[in-house]
Each structure stands twice: as structure tokens, then as C-alpha cells.
Amino acid sequence: MKEERLSRRRLLCGGLAAASLGHPFLRLNAQPATASRDPFTLGVASGVPRADGFVLWTRLAPEPLQGGGMGDAPVEVRWEVADDEGFRRVVAKGSAIAMAELAHSVHVEVQGLSPGRPYWYRFTAGGARSPIGRTRTTPAEDDGTQQPLRFAFASCQQYEQGYYAAYRDMAAQPLDFVVHLGDYIYESSWGSRHVRRHEGGIPTQLPEFRNRYALYKTDPHLQAAHAAFPWLVTWDDHEVANDYANDLSPRTVDPAQFLAIRAAAYQAWYEHMPVPASMRPRGPDATIYGRHRFGRMLDVLLTDGRQYRSHHACLAGRSASPLADCPGRLAPERSFFGAAQEAWLARELAAPPAQWTVLAQPTLLAEADRKRGPEHGYWMDGWDGYAAARARLLDGLAAHKARGGNALVASGDVHAFWAADLRREAQGPAVATEFVGGAITSEGPSAANVANMLAKNEHLRYGRGDKRGYALVTLDARGCEVEFRAVEDEKNADSAVAPMARFSVARGAPGVHLEST
């Protein structure tokens, strides 16, 4: 495929340094958003891998920040999957119809492939050919090779607050898949020292949400990470509205009005994510949680922490940000996941375990008394506002451990790196280990706040909020290694990315072991 020359302006605005072009997926995805009638300005992606296939995604958008520019007519999009990078051996192909009602996005569910191997894919529409993406199938459930798995998890990528150097680094890693834990876009503008800007105000209508996603997805580093690996994705609050809980938002107090906003936001999320048709919203409702199996080595339990949760305790009708406490937060009926998702999760944790189980969920699970001094203060939008639901989950993790399961909790949302022992009682044994993988760009807590949380919560074994980045996880039959990778300066488009801390967790012995910093 002939490479396009990048203008200096695109290099600066997209945050792509010339030295980065050596990586194939950065090279293939470095296409100007303003290219004349190029329909593939938003790149390509794959997701929800299985042993026999995966989902392929693209969206036709020659004018990505102006509604897409495709008009109302349906368009045929042809796709190909090959087992070699040069497409000499095409093993599956077909066509899909990109329709205006889905913003001319396509979600192709490929089946019938071989397990545990890489594949390459591309799209063609209107005489134009997309960049090439690479993906892979999962190992078969009867696979006995016990090959290690390597994946990254990330969250919180406020576009204005930094460049996506973390994704440039991620795209160069040898990974099997990526997990994104939410806050893929931000509906609002906040923070300091912005390096780029949102177009338009806070989205509430479907066209506005579509343009916000398109803005984020024009970033070449984000496109590169999507093109390099299959992704598993869930959402948190900023895909809709800050700190929303079920049908209530601090910004929109009328539930009917807010559910209309949520319906538009969920629709735009689906249109821009590599997920199957089963996740397509029906109005303000969508089922996105589920189990994803990677042979005998790993089960990923991907959850939805927003759509079904109980309303905030202690601060009803207000922002959940002020620290608070009240008897209501301990009420046994309060649920973070909702009754149906809690029941599903309990069944999954009670099933015969894979060698490792990763619970992928949006925010810090470990208790975190945040108030300075002897008083207690908790953040009601986090798990501390749902203490009884957390206790039920920890009971499930303890029973899972007793059956020979080894559980990790992968979390996001709080814009800091954390490593924690998860315990049912303050001095009890760890039942699982939690890692929070920082934020791609979103500004974090102060050093004083992190130090206070470490001092008041001894089960928090490591914390750092001054760096942006993501987490790398390697799992095998013996244990797990987690590496926090940090961007030197997220305000610098050419910033270096390097390991900041490494941890290990032994099979059968949950608990954080800091290897190096």
C-alpha cells in the first residue's frame, strides 16, 4: 500500500513524530483526516476475539468532524482476512452494508478460522482501500500448550490534556489483546495546560456524540493500537456524563431527559467500537458485559459499572465528588453492577476456573478512606459507595480462590496507578490482587492525596498519580507479571514511554509483590 506524505501540521496536531513511522501500524494509520474523499479516516479495528474468529470494524467518514460526509445512501463495504501480511492467502472475505442509521459503520463477525494465531484484514469501499489491521484468534479451550498470554489495559484518555504517546508505545508491544476500561471519550472540557481542544460543547445529541468519537479516533496513535491487536471494551461515565448512575446524572436531573442523552451516547459508542451486533443498544439499554475465554489460561470477565448501579448514597442529587459518609452507603440492597449482572458474575466465579481470571471493571475496588486526619471520607461514585456489593464480590472471589482460581482485578477511572491486596477483613488474607493502570492522558490526583491514601489504607501497596500511561500483564502457568508503563511528558507529542514499576503475583498466593521501580 502506498504511504501518504504527512504534512507538518498533521504531525503536530496528531502528535505523531517522524521517528515513530518505523512501526508498521503507525505508518499504515498515519492518514490525514482531511484527505480528499478518503472514507477510512478513522482507521480500522478488531475486537471480541474467539477461537474461530473476531469482530472487524471500520466507519466510512471522509469528513469525520462534520458528521461523516457520507450522506444517506447505503454503501457496500468489502472485507478480506488473510493468514499472511501480504494477502497472498485470503482465508475469508465478504461484504457488509454501511448504513446511515449506524453512521456508515460496519461490524463484521468473522467465523470459521483457526485458533490461536494472527490474521490480517482490510476493507474496500468506493474504490478506496483501508489501512491493514492485524488481529488474532484466541487459543482453543482444549489447547494444552499452556502458552503465556500478554495483554495491556488502559482507560481515561481526555483528548485535550495530552497526546497519545502511550498508544504509540502500546502498538509496538507484542500483545495478544487490549482491554479498555472506559472513558474512551470525554463529554466535557476540564483540566489545565490543554494541548489540543474539543470541537463543540458538551454533546447531548447523537450527531454531537458521533463527532466527538470521530475527533478522538482521528488520532494516529490510537488508530495504530486499534489496528495492531483485538480489543475488549467497556464504558465508564464520560462516554455519557460525569458521575452518572443508572438513569440519573448530576448535570441532568430529569431521568427521562437523561435517558434520551444516554441512548444517543450508547448508540455512538456502538458505532465506533469493534463489538458484535448483540451489543447494539435498544434505546438507552445495551448489554455489553460477558465472559471472554482465552484457552485454558484465562477468562476475562468484562463488566458494566454504570448502566445498572444504584443511585449515589449520601449525596443524592449532587455530584459524587465531595468526600462523604453516611449509614446509607452500607445498605445491603445497594448494587454496583445491578442484580442481573451480579448474579451472572457470581455464576462465572463459581464455574470451573481457568488458570487465571481477570475481572475487568471500571474503578478502584479496594476500600479507600481518602479524608485526611482521623475522620473517614469516601468517594460515593466509587466502590466505597457500594460497600455491601463489594463485600458480596469479595466473597465470590474468595470462593473462586478456594476452588483453585487465581483472580486479578484490572481497574481504571481514578487517573492514578495503584496496586492493592483485596481482603474481606482488614487483617485477613488477600483473596485477589488489584491493579489500576493509570490514565492515558487524564490528569491525576496530587502527590499529597496519593500519600494520604497510602498512609490510611495499608492494603494499598503502591500508588502514583503524577504519571500517565497504561499497564502490561503477562500470564503463564506459574504466575503473573504486571508492568506499569509511564509517559515521560504527556504534553509532549514525542515523549518517551518507559517502565515505571513491575510487580509479580504467584499462582495460588494472591498479593502484590513489588519487583522494581
Side-chain angles (χ1 to χ4, degrees):
M1 178 179 178
K2 185 177 180 180
E3 296 176 7
E4 297 192 41
R5 185 178 302 275
L6 292 176
S7 69
R8 182 174 183 274
R9 181 178 182 275
R10 179 60 177 167
L11 287 170
L12 294 173
C13 294
L16 181 60
S20 301
L21 293 177
H23 189 271
F25 292 102
L26 289 172
R27 212 163 52 236
L28 287 165
N29 286 277
Q31 300 197 32
T34 56
S36 176
R37 302 311 297 174
D38 173 14
F40 296 108
T41 58
L42 303 183
V44 299
S46 68
V48 195
R50 305 177 309 276
D52 72 336
F54 31 70
V55 176
L56 302 180
W57 172 92
T58 194
R59 178 191 167 199
L60 307 181
E63 299 173 10
L65 305 185
Q66 307 297 325
M70 289 298 297
D72 295 329
V75 179
E76 182 182 26
V77 180
R78 288 179 286 125
W79 57 270
E80 298 174 284
V81 175
D83 64 8
D84 70 295
E85 195 171 4
F87 281 79
R88 292 177 295 274
R89 297 181 300 276
V90 173
V91 295
K93 61 182 179 179
S95 64
I97 302 300
M99 304 184 69
E101 66 186 69
L102 292 177
H104 290 94
S105 65
V106 295
H107 302 74
V108 178
E109 299 180 35
V110 183
Q111 301 178 23
L113 303 179
S114 299
R117 59 148 299 150
Y119 288 94
W120 288 261
Y121 63 94
R122 63 190 180 191
F123 298 91
T124 306
R129 179 166 284 171
S130 76
I132 294 170
R134 180 186 64 197
T135 188
R136 65 181 304 117
T137 50
T138 66
E141 292 199 23
D142 60 356
D143 179 73
T145 62
Q146 301 294 299
Q147 292 296 316
L149 287 172
R150 198 163 192 251
F151 69 94
F153 65 90
S155 65
C156 305
Q157 52 197 48
Q158 216 283 356
Y159 181 84
E160 301 170 305
Q161 293 178 8
Y163 297 105
Y164 292 164
Y167 281 129
R168 182 196 69 219
D169 182 74
M170 187 187 294
Q173 300 294 329
L175 303 179
D176 294 292
F177 63 99
V178 172
V179 179
H180 198 284
L181 295 166
D183 291 346
Y184 190 98
I185 63 164
Y186 277 69
E187 87 294 5
S188 57
S189 177
W190 62 279
S192 60
R193 294 180 59 213
H194 288 177
V195 297
R196 46 190 181 175
R197 61 188 294 271
H198 284 159
E199 300 291 335
I202 296 175
T204 59
Q205 305 293 321
L206 179 56
E208 297 167 338
F209 278 109
R210 285 171 171 169
N211 284 344
R212 184 60 51 85
Y213 274 98
L215 176 67
Y216 278 56
K217 292 182 81 71
T218 54
D219 184 278
H221 295 154
L222 178 57
Q223 287 191 21
H226 270 299
F229 321 107
W231 284 38
L232 298 174
V233 291
T234 186
W235 52 43
D236 195 25
D237 55 338
H238 287 288
E239 286 87 350
V240 184
N242 182 50
D243 286 354
Y244 86 90
N246 198 307
D247 62 349
L248 289 184
S249 163
R251 187 184 297 128
T252 308
V253 295
D254 176 17
Q257 184 182 3
F258 175 68
L259 285 178
I261 295 172
R262 196 177 89 175
Y266 283 8
Q267 173 79 9
W269 178 89
Y270 172 76
E271 291 169 351
H272 292 85
M273 293 295 116
V275 295
S278 61
M279 294 187 184
R280 181 177 176 178
R282 294 172 176 82
D285 305 312
T287 302
I288 67 169
Y289 63 85
R291 185 193 73 178
H292 303 272
R293 172 151 286 184
F294 295 78
R296 296 180 181 177
M297 183 64 67
L298 172 64
D299 281 336
V300 176
L301 305 180
L302 192 68
T303 62
D304 175 354
R306 285 290 164 184
Q307 186 175 181
Y308 314 108
R309 62 161 67 185
S310 302
H311 297 154
H312 294 132
C314 307
L315 300 168
R318 297 168 53 196
S319 168
S321 297
L323 299 183
D325 198 8
C326 68
R329 79 177 186 93
L330 305 176
E333 68 273 12
R334 292 183 53 72
S335 178
F336 190 83
F337 289 137
Q341 188 177 193
E342 269 200 45
W344 163 80
L345 185 55
R347 290 193 299 271
E348 292 294 341
L349 291 175
Q355 299 219 29
W356 291 93
T357 298
V358 170
L359 173 62
Q361 59 90 44
T363 192
L364 180 67
L365 177 60
E367 183 173 307
D369 180 1
R370 299 165 185 251
K371 199 165 188 176
R372 298 183 189 184
E375 292 184 274
H376 299 290
Y378 302 99
W379 182 43
M380 290 300 111
D381 193 58
W383 274 98
D384 287 327
Y386 302 84
R390 176 172 55 202
R392 292 191 293 271
L393 177 54
L394 293 178
D395 286 345
L397 290 170
H400 183 74
K401 177 178 178 292
R403 283 188 291 273
N406 300 276
L408 302 174
V409 177
S411 309
D413 181 45
V414 293
H415 306 178
F417 291 94
W418 295 100
D421 294 334
L422 295 175
R423 303 169 180 163
R424 287 190 291 176
E425 297 87 25
Q427 303 302 320
V431 299
T433 310
E434 180 177 19
F435 295 97
V436 184
I440 294 292
T441 54
S442 303
E443 295 178 5
S446 69
N449 284 340
V450 171
N452 175 66
M453 287 176 63
L454 288 170
K456 293 195 73 175
N457 305 275
E458 65 175 18
H459 52 279
L460 297 179
R461 305 292 300 281
Y462 176 94
R464 189 162 177 178
D466 62 325
K467 291 293 184 181
R468 313 279 70 82
Y470 68 100
L472 282 180
V473 182
T474 303
L475 301 168
D476 61 24
R478 297 171 299 172
C480 161
E481 294 182 355
V482 177
E483 178 179 289
F484 289 161
R485 294 188 64 81
V487 178
E488 184 176 298
D489 179 10
E490 70 277 6
K491 310 296 185 181
N492 179 353
D494 303 330
S495 181
V497 183
M500 183 175 66
R502 291 190 179 96
F503 309 87
S504 66
V505 179
R507 285 194 66 219
V512 176
H513 301 278
L514 178 62
E515 297 291 327
S516 63
T517 57

